[in-house]
Amino acid sequence: MQENRSGRKIHHERESRLSLEEFIEKAPDFTTGERIAVREILESVAEGGREVSHRLALGPLHGLTGSSGQVNVQGEEVQAFDEIAQEVFSGLLGASGRVSVLVSEEREKPEVFPCPTDSFYVAMDPLDGSSNLAVSGPVGSIFALYRSRDGNEDPSRAILESVQDVVCAVYVLYSVSTLMVVAFREEVRMYALDPASGGFLPLPGPVRFPDGGGQIVSINTANYTRWDRGVQAYVDTLHSHSSWSARYVGALVMDFHRNLLKGGIYIYPGDLPKGNGGGHPEGKLRLLFEAIPMAFIARAAGGLATNGQKPILELPATHIHQRVALIVGSRERVQEFSRISGSPEPN
Ligand code: AHM
Ligand code: MG
């Protein structure tokens, strides 16, 4: 690490830039065939990210920033771009010949694709935070790759039984730049889309939560009265600290990404129904499409993720659209949350 003229520490080229191919090549735990399959799946994600990024940029000109008029399996309004991103990624991942089962936040049932050889199961949220599009705010796409198993005829069961076998997680952040963040078991790398060449070019890495864990807290405090006492106690404590900063975009990929680079914690706890119903007693976010991929990336970057009771990566899954409370961020901030809220401390 170096210091600039004002004495601020800068993580300048602190290690290396690895192309996506080089990163996949050095990832642990894969056979040669699996490594080829991972590469082809990530190439499909990159191609989809490029396509979605391009179409998002033109969205306002085509009147595509609002609702599609449909409601999804979660009972939520489907934005036009939820469906566009679903079609783009499902088409590319299916055609890769390397994804045998694909589950998506936007589809009630798994899609099954014929795969002659090494393949993985994939869970995705094709466009997370899509309500931000109405104001040209950041959104993201999230993916997790799970090791596939022989002999399970029911694709839902197959993926549910593999959730603790996640081998790679990726998100694409569509913001002022389009970034792809890729994690294998022990390392996270970041790539930026060069719109001129269409390539995702490597940025310096590996990416780790900063030393000390940072001071940013991302939580929707409008839900305060509907949280349990532990979460309220945590937020109460924050108000007596002068060092913390609140930042909340309402798009998990953006909020997580900021906290990964700057240091901090993202929290979406369970909350009780509002007067008019609603509420998310189990948490709002989905275990397969949002919590597991972010937990995997956080762990590979030195951080932690819990539902308040157990590490996210140790939770069993009973339903592909299962919701979960999510507390994810730097090790220091997640352990501090657990101490103050009186929940078991993850390690
Ligand atoms: P979505 O998958 O329907 O877009 O919902 C998930 C999003 C997250 O990106 C974000 O962190 C959260 O919902 C925001 O929820 P809220 O508006 O309740 O704070
Ligand atoms: Mg989502």
Side-chain angles (χ1 to χ4, degrees):
M1 201 185 302
Q2 299 177 352
E3 291 193 357
N4 66 13
R5 271 194 280 169
S6 59
R8 287 173 61 139
K9 295 217 159 68
I10 47 173
H11 295 265
H12 180 62
E13 306 280 336
R14 76 183 149 174
E15 287 215 353
S16 61
R17 293 174 199 245
L18 289 185
S19 69
L20 194 50
E21 296 70 34
E22 289 168 328
F23 187 31
I24 294 166
E25 204 46 51
K26 80 184 262 270
D29 307 332
F30 295 122
T31 63
T32 306
E34 287 170 342
R35 214 176 284 284
I36 294 169
V38 168
R39 197 184 65 227
E40 292 181 0
I41 292 170
L42 295 190
E43 281 169 0
S44 299
V45 168
E47 192 176 338
R50 188 158 48 238
E51 164 89 16
V52 169
S53 173
H54 176 69
R55 291 174 73 169
L56 284 170
L58 298 173
L61 294 173
H62 295 164
L64 285 174
T65 54
S67 170
S68 67
Q70 295 168 331
V71 170
N72 70 9
V73 58
Q74 327 279 339
E76 294 158 349
E77 204 179 23
V78 177
Q79 306 290 314
F81 259 110
D82 287 325
E83 201 46 37
I84 292 171
Q86 167 69 32
E87 291 294 323
V88 167
F89 285 114
S90 160
L92 288 163
L93 290 168
S96 74
R98 299 297 189 169
V99 178
S100 53
V101 178
L102 176 66
V103 289
S104 166
E105 189 181 303
E106 296 301 327
R107 291 288 181 271
E108 185 178 357
K109 300 215 165 88
E111 285 185 273
V112 178
F113 300 103
C115 286
T117 177
D118 295 280
S119 62
F120 290 87
Y121 304 145
V122 173
M124 70 171 178
D125 182 351
L127 205 69
D128 183 65
S130 51
S131 61
N132 272 329
L133 293 178
V135 295
S136 293
V139 290
S141 303
I142 310 173
F143 305 85
L145 278 62
Y146 299 94
R147 211 172 270 290
S148 59
R149 296 161 180 237
D150 289 335
N152 205 329
E153 297 295 305
D154 173 352
S156 296
R157 281 253 63 79
I159 201 158
L160 292 174
E161 285 171 14
S162 293
V163 289
Q164 288 167 13
D165 266 343
V166 55
V167 293
C168 172
V170 182
Y171 61 78
V172 182
L173 169 65
Y174 312 98
S175 184
V176 291
S177 327
T178 295
L179 301 181
M180 183 159 86
V181 173
V182 180
F184 293 110
R185 182 158 48 89
E186 288 170 349
E187 197 168 309
V188 181
R189 294 272 166 178
M190 192 154 71
Y191 300 87
L193 177 65
D194 171 13
S197 70
F200 276 93
L201 307 183
L203 296 173
V207 181
R208 307 274 304 167
F209 284 98
D211 294 345
Q215 298 296 339
I216 295 172
V217 180
S218 305
I219 183 168
N220 186 347
T221 48
N223 295 329
Y224 181 91
T225 55
R226 303 192 285 122
W227 294 330
D228 69 34
R229 195 51 216 135
V231 180
Q232 289 178 337
Y234 173 74
V235 169
D236 293 345
T237 310
L238 293 176
H239 285 112
S240 59
H241 278 234
S242 56
S243 54
W244 77 292
S245 261
R247 294 282 187 278
Y248 191 76
V249 168
L252 171 65
V253 172
M254 182 74 253
D255 284 314
F256 176 90
H257 184 73
R258 180 201 331 92
N259 298 350
L260 173 62
L261 298 191
K262 298 268 190 182
I265 184 170
Y266 171 97
I267 303 167
Y268 209 114
D271 50 41
L272 297 170
K274 300 178 182 173
N276 58 355
H280 315 96
E282 311 287 325
K284 178 181 181 189
L285 301 179
R286 293 75 172 177
L287 180 63
L288 268 70
F289 314 124
E290 290 155 331
I292 289 177
M294 292 319 201
F296 185 83
I297 295 169
R299 186 181 65 182
L304 291 172
T306 170
N307 68 348
Q309 296 303 317
K310 285 187 83 170
I312 294 287
L313 295 172
E314 291 175 17
L315 293 174
T318 54
H319 189 268
I320 58 176
H321 292 280
Q322 183 173 333
R323 294 180 190 259
V324 71
L326 176 63
I327 298 108
V328 61
S330 65
R331 173 170 293 272
E332 293 85 342
R333 292 290 78 79
V334 174
Q335 286 179 334
E336 178 184 63
F337 169 88
S338 302
R339 264 195 314 278
I340 298 171
S341 65
S343 42
E345 232 178 271
N347 48 46

